[in-house]
DNA sequence: ATTACTATCATCCGAGTAT
DNA sequence: TATACTCGGATGATAGTAA
């Protein structure tokens, strides 16, 4: 938004005519008196402010402009953080196996900054949450590099940082996954299962 | 606010890297491709946005800038007082030590009008509140003068008056602090910990 | 295709000053 | 005192074009 209009708002010029000299305004906006004067004239010409013996007030049109920007910001910023709610389910121990491999351990540490507890939390999403899962694709994943041994190749993983029980964790999805499952796999810096109930809320962290 | 930064916000660049060419951005902002390119470079140089193979994302610093403006607007337009929500955490007893020193006791009494209870309330901000913290910098702090003993020097403090549990308290930040922590230290005229739960709402008072 | 450099033109800003 | 004019220099935007 225009700096001067914003300043006038802070001076309360949306509620009443305020008194301020062009020198003061110039100082507040770090510009010369002359330029402040010029900018005031410009806003006045656009009917965004009105003046009455050197008192200034923001007009209805000016407030509409401000409100318009404010409401856009509000929508963009206050939108609820994305979260999933689901129930803890028993996995097949696969997660435990993968996370015990030094290759993944190191790759996760490098990518996410924490050493994963050897065991994933498997979360079965509530019915209502299924559609939300698609939203993961909209986010930027962090790439956890895979690795190879003589026997086989372990593929790359996508990691989506999230918060569970106030712990910074991550949702893990193999890059080469074919079916969007309703089960989310979560890795954490420490054991989660014992500390939380069987209904878990996962806040996405971006 | 800067038009380009606002546009990027609308494109969702606060959540993820977004793809947009300089021609598109130029069209949206009604300026030439060349100028759009130039403005992007400027924002990048200020660390307000980051780029990765022509994808653009708003940085933490950029979001703080946006939040700062948004919170000011919110407060002015909705007349809502600014507040932080967080959880009480145990400190290291440092606060207790400092507040037991007659030098700080007197300086706080002089600056804020109350004798502090010897012990700070340490508040860990909720995840969603982290960015809000930047807003403290926008407020006018009250200066609590430091002092010296033979052994060492105790530095100045910034105090931000606030209200917790209907008590006039203050958020304390050492002037020479290097890292914006997500923990707020609060001093109060009387013991707070026992009276409140572990979720606390701190209303800024200005 | 894209980004971004250079040169030129336009707009903005500050100093001096009239009112 | 105050606001706001003119004018020269600084900053910003566009067109052409290289990479």
């Amino acid at each position: 938004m225009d700096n001067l209009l914003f300043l006038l708002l802070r001076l309360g010029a949306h509620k009443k005519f305020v008194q301020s000299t062009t020198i003061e305004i110039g100082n507040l906006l770090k510009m010369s008196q002359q330029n402040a004067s010029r900018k005031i004239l410009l806003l006045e010409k656009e009917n965004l402010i009105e003046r009455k013996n050197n008192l200034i007030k923001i007009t209805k049109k000016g407030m509409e402009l401000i409100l318009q920007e404010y409401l856009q910001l509000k929508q963009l910023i206050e939108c609820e953080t994305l979260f999933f709610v689901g129930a803890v389910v028993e996995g097949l121990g696969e997660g435990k196996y993968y996370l015990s491999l030094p290759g993944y351990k190191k790759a996760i540490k490098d990518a996410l900054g924490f050493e994963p507890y050897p065991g994933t939390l498997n979360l079965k999403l509530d019915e209502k949450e299924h559609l939300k899962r698609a939203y993961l694709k909209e986010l930027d994943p962090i790439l956890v590099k895979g690795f190879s041994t003589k026997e086989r190749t372990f593929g790359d993983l996508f990691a989506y940082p999230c918060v569970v029980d106030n712990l910074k964790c991550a949702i893990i999805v193999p890059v080469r996954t074919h079916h969007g499952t309703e089960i989310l796999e979560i890795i954490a810096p420490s054991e989660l299962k014992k500390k939380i109930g069987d209904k878990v809320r996962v806040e996405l962290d971006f």
Side-chain angles (χ1 to χ4, degrees), chain A:
Chain A
M1 184 196 322
D2 180 86
N3 276 337
L4 174 54
L5 200 58
F6 193 31
L7 173 66
L8 291 170
L9 183 70
R10 279 181 295 183
L11 294 177
H14 55 313
K15 293 183 180 164
K16 54 168 187 164
F17 280 90
V18 296
Q19 181 156 38
S20 185
T21 68
T22 53
I23 290 185
E24 267 176 21
I25 291 175
N27 287 335
L28 289 168
L29 294 179
K30 288 163 191 179
M31 60 174 62
S32 64
Q33 172 272 320
Q34 294 88 338
N35 200 30
S37 168
R38 192 182 128 262
K39 284 182 161 282
I40 289 168
L41 287 168
L42 287 174
L43 285 191
E44 203 176 9
K45 202 183 286 177
E46 289 184 86
N47 277 313
L48 298 174
I49 63 172
E50 54 183 317
R51 280 196 287 183
K52 209 166 65 183
N53 4 300
N54 291 340
L55 299 177
I56 307 179
K57 192 180 175 198
I58 299 173
T59 62
K60 189 158 179 287
K61 186 178 169 200
M63 278 314 292
E64 280 169 4
L65 190 75
I66 291 170
L67 251 320
Q68 186 184 313
E69 178 159 331
Y70 170 64
L71 290 175
Q72 282 191 60
L73 276 175
K74 181 169 184 160
Q75 259 187 320
L76 290 162
I77 292 168
E78 301 263 334
C79 66
E80 200 172 46
T81 61
L82 186 70
F83 62 91
F84 298 108
V85 175
V88 178
V89 296
E90 281 302 313
L92 303 168
E94 285 176 23
K96 190 162 185 163
Y97 165 63
Y98 288 120
L99 291 179
S100 69
L101 301 172
Y104 274 136
K105 247 188 212 167
K106 182 176 184 317
I108 288 169
K109 172 91 182 174
D110 289 349
L112 300 172
F114 65 81
E115 179 131 336
Y117 174 86
T120 58
L121 182 78
N122 297 296
L123 205 69
K124 187 180 163 68
L125 292 183
D126 288 1
E127 289 287 332
K128 287 182 294 184
E129 306 277 310
H130 281 190
L131 282 171
K132 271 193 193 174
R133 197 191 179 289
Y135 193 63
L136 270 191
K137 287 183 216 140
E138 289 301 303
L139 302 178
D140 281 321
I142 292 171
L143 193 71
V144 174
K145 291 297 290 178
F147 59 99
S148 295
T149 66
K150 276 173 202 154
E151 291 83 32
R152 59 165 285 197
T153 294
F154 296 87
D156 295 346
L157 308 173
F158 285 142
Y160 301 86
C162 64
V163 174
V164 182
D165 192 36
N166 285 321
L167 266 178
K168 279 194 180 269
C169 306
I171 296 168
I172 292 292
V173 182
V175 171
R176 293 179 175 277
T177 197
H178 296 298
H179 39 282
T181 167
E182 77 268 31
I183 298 206
L184 292 183
E185 283 200 285
I186 296 166
I187 60 172
S190 63
E191 163 91 270
L192 280 174
K193 292 181 195 178
K194 286 175 185 155
K195 303 202 300 184
I196 52 180
D198 60 334
K199 275 281 180 184
V200 180
R201 183 180 166 108
V202 177
E203 299 270 355
L204 284 170
D205 177 33
F206 46 89

